[in-house]
Amino acid sequence: LHCTMPMIALCLALAFSQSASPLRGETRINVAQEFGITFDGISRAISKAISVLGQGQSCLVFFEAGVHSIEMSGALFNVTDVAAPVQGRLTLAGEGMLETTLNLTTHGFDVIQGLRGTERLTVRDMTFARPRLTTTQGQLVSLNSTNIVVKISDDFPQPGELLVDRIRRGLTPDQGLFLKRFRTGFSDGPHIVTNASCTQPDGNTHNCPWPAAVNAQINFVCGGDGENCPQIREVGPSVWSFQVSRWPDGEMARYSADIGLSNALIGIKIKHGGQAYNIRGGKDLAFISVRWLGHSRGILFDCSDVVLRHTRVERVPQISLAMAMSTPGGGPQVNTCNNLTVFNHTAIGTGDDSLGLFHIQDGSVSECHIRDSFARGILLCNVSDRFAANVQNNDVIRCPIWRPPPNIHVNSC
């Protein structure tokens, strides 16, 4: 791999992935050879790993190179109350971030679930993907004071196809339904529309305010239970009408000006799908050289000693130059964490905050590369001054690094 400057983050991730080696005294479970890479096979592999850990050993659950399609009927990796020995570790690993892909149909279930007691866990060297696109987009056809009409782009899902798994996920009917404007024609894929000063790579909120000065997110309504939505209507072949809950100041005129522009694109956000991970009350957790395609939102709550290193959220490679949003939701959501390290995390076009960090006391965020987030690039909500001072040397473009002022209540905090 020839490492030109724009590819440095990926090269670092691959170099670290290729240098990883098993722990001394570690039992290795080859899932393909012993059980088969299926939902049942992975469940059996985790059960065996738990037995190995119970004998005081470390355990590596290994996934061979290839694209492995898995239909989930529950959490894929259930690591609740799984604590590796104090001098040991449970590792879930592939052969490399670009070599091993788990292609998951989640049906709204969590991929990695540790509801309590998960300790000394590493996930590394693999991609978590989805078999179908999880976002959609199109060209603006018309609008009025109550509705926006969009023609869906070729090869992208119809909005009705994405109204799934929302009830199991616990979303309210109108939650996570938004529109934003993008522009096409760039060498690195669509750019989210923003004010000119927001294109600098530091995400400074003096230049890149939140809420956005232009291109505020437009909420549209379901009118049903979240999966059956009579207010989201197909009014022609691949043409859909969205009922707008309200127009933020100036946005109706901005949208009107996009009608007929060949490089104007509407990103349509419909949150759905299970969490990429949901770990609560955990200790010593690491995600290293892991890539997420199609869905990246995960929860780390009330955890300590958490590392995200050389991790990536990307648009689907085959259509990255046409794709506005990589995911229907955000990236890592870390809440109430003692000692968090995020290093060389890349996120492109996430459907919500690329990094949502809440109530963090210690740690650092550095050398990250984030652009075109639907919301904030990095959200710092009720974090300590000590931690905020260590959020540095990050390239955050067309989305802000946002730390709400003290004593200011905002919905996301």
Side-chain angles (χ1 to χ4, degrees), residues 276-300:
Y277 42 87
N278 184 2
I279 302 177
R280 299 167 185 266
K283 298 178 181 178
D284 191 357
L285 310 170
F287 292 82
I288 300 172
S289 295
V290 174
R291 181 174 65 158
W292 291 275
L293 302 177
H295 192 89
S296 60
R297 188 185 195 276
I299 298 169
L300 296 165

Side-chain angles (χ1 to χ4, degrees), residues 266-327:
I266 303 296
I268 302 168
K269 169 180 168 177
I270 299 176
K271 272 192 177 181
H272 67 285
Q275 305 288 357
Y277 42 87
N278 184 2
I279 302 177
R280 299 167 185 266
K283 298 178 181 178
D284 191 357
L285 310 170
F287 292 82
I288 300 172
S289 295
V290 174
R291 181 174 65 158
W292 291 275
L293 302 177
H295 192 89
S296 60
R297 188 185 195 276
I299 298 169
L300 296 165
F301 178 75
D302 193 21
C303 297
S304 60
D305 300 317
V306 172
V307 173
L308 295 164
R309 187 182 297 272
H310 308 310
T311 45
R312 302 180 68 82
V313 180
E314 297 180 330
R315 293 162 171 154
V316 175
Q318 296 87 336
I319 58 169
S320 63
L321 296 183
M323 192 176 193
M325 298 186 321
S326 60
T327 66

Side-chain angles (χ1 to χ4, degrees), residues 27 77 80 133 136 145 166 187-188 198 263 311 316 341 355 386 391 394 406:
T27 296
F77 298 98
T80 298
L133 294 180
T136 195
S145 61
R166 288 171 52 82
S187 61
D188 55 358
C198 197
N263 67 335
T311 45
V316 175
T341 300
L355 283 174
R386 182 171 60 252
V391 178
N394 301 291

Side-chain angles (χ1 to χ4, degrees), residues 25 27 29 45-60 81-86 88-90 119-120:
T27 296
I29 299 171
I46 294 298
S47 294
K48 181 176 178 179
I50 292 170
S51 177
V52 169
L53 298 173
Q55 298 168 25
Q57 301 177 47
S58 293
C59 188
L60 168 65
D81 289 325
V82 176
V86 172
R89 200 148 199 93
L90 171 60
E119 300 183 14
R120 292 172 288 281

Side-chain angles (χ1 to χ4, degrees), residues 102-115:
L102 302 186
N103 209 18
L104 308 174
T105 301
T106 69
H107 298 293
F109 294 107
D110 301 332
V111 177
I112 302 171
Q113 185 181 80
L115 300 182

Side-chain angles (χ1 to χ4, degrees), residues 337-339 358-363 382-388:
C337 175
N338 180 35
N339 195 19
F358 307 80
H359 306 283
I360 311 297
Q361 296 303 308
D362 297 288
N382 294 324
V383 303
S384 71
D385 291 341
R386 182 171 60 252
F387 178 77

